[in-house]
Amino acid sequence: MSNVLAEVTGNLGSIGYGLAAIGPGVGIGIIFGQGVQAIARQPEAYGLIRQNMLLGFVFAEALALIGIALAFVFRA
């Protein structure tokens, strides 16, 4: 069993980032899905909803970019 674990080499940070990118991806999907639904329900609030939607997108995308930067910084 230890032979198998010893043979796992390479950049495991890439695998970790790939798994960590699932969170922001799902978050962005929820943000835009709910934003479109909110605009459909209340078209007069389009500006406020769009602003909040884009702000949420920026924060979620920033988490993904920080994750990829850390994957390269802490390369094993």
Side-chain angles (χ1 to χ4, degrees), residues 34-74:
Q34 294 295 320
V36 168
Q37 185 177 16
I39 291 169
R41 289 176 183 260
Q42 250 182 337
E44 66 274 5
Y46 172 78
L48 180 63
I49 294 169
R50 182 176 177 265
Q51 179 183 4
N52 289 333
M53 206 168 57
L54 291 176
L55 188 63
F57 167 74
V58 167
F59 285 137
E61 189 65 26
L63 289 176
L65 292 175
I66 290 170
I68 196 167
L70 290 178
F72 285 117
V73 169
F74 295 115

Side-chain angles (χ1 to χ4, degrees), residues 18-29:
L19 293 173
I22 294 171
V26 169
I28 290 169

